[in-house]
Amino acid sequence: MLADHDEVWFRNLYAETYQPLLAYARRRVDAATADEVVADTFLTAWRRRDDVPDSSERLWLFGVARNMIRNAARSSRRREAAHDRLRLVRPAEVDDPAAPDTGERSTLITTALAALSEADREVLMLVAWEELSHAEIGQVLGISANASAIRVHRARKRLAARLDRLDHAGIDEGKAQ
């Protein structure tokens, strides 16, 4: 009986607040992000239905959406910063005519990352994109901070080796032409 009550409550909440919540989110972020924010907000409401205050549901949802928008903005900034850091892993020498331009370097990094194992990519992304410490990565992966540090170190070495191979292959192709 309680499950039926929860379902009715949620359906009513959704019907009453979906459009205003979506409008709120779309005024602050792009449409795709707004759609995700609203979906995640309602998911949170369902999961935490016992925490939603009676007669203040709408305001609570707006607070949840606001926090999710802020999280999305932080994630976007982290992604951009990580992309910039990855682009600068081994910056090209300014005077080196054989050095790839930024677009080529970005392609090399993407290619090198794709060639790594899923585990290596995951730890590198947790460090670069999510800016997690070794201890935090350890918690995410269910390993010790020391094991996390070792995995990150080894993944960085493998990435650097792949980049070196790709750089040399590009230079050799340039000489052959």
Side-chain angles (χ1 to χ4, degrees), residues 110-124:
T110 302
T111 303
L113 279 170
L116 294 176
S117 70
E118 179 65 31
D120 282 351
R121 280 194 307 273
E122 178 67 15
V123 295
L124 290 173

Side-chain angles (χ1 to χ4, degrees), residues 7-136:
E7 186 176 334
V8 169
W9 169 83
F10 186 79
R11 286 179 185 273
N12 289 335
L13 181 66
Y14 183 86
E16 293 170 10
T17 58
Y18 174 77
Q19 286 301 328
L21 199 59
L22 183 61
Y24 170 82
R26 286 195 173 168
R27 282 190 292 272
R28 286 157 178 77
V29 293
D30 63 271
T33 304
D35 292 343
E36 287 181 31
V37 163
V38 171
D40 289 343
T41 299
F42 281 109
L43 178 62
T44 300
W46 177 254
R47 287 181 177 163
R48 297 186 54 204
R49 57 192 171 272
D50 293 335
D51 298 335
V52 179
D54 291 334
S55 73
S56 297
E57 295 94 343
R58 182 173 176 265
L59 296 177
W60 188 86
L61 288 173
F62 276 88
V64 171
R66 178 179 178 270
N67 289 336
M68 291 196 179
I69 289 168
R70 293 169 71 195
N71 288 343
R74 274 193 299 274
S75 293
S76 178
R77 285 192 302 271
R78 285 184 193 134
R79 244 187 327 275
E80 290 299 318
H83 183 66
D84 291 343
R85 283 192 306 276
L86 287 173
R87 204 173 325 136
L88 299 174
V89 169
R90 282 193 43 201
E93 295 293 326
V94 176
D95 296 335
D96 184 0
D101 67 22
T102 306
E104 288 179 35
R105 188 70 190 164
S106 180
T107 301
L108 287 175
I109 292 170
T110 302
T111 303
L113 279 170
L116 294 176
S117 70
E118 179 65 31
D120 282 351
R121 280 194 307 273
E122 178 67 15
V123 295
L124 290 173
M125 295 306 140
L126 288 172
V127 166
W129 287 6
E130 306 306 328
E131 298 179 345
L132 298 182
S133 68
H134 295 302
E136 292 168 329

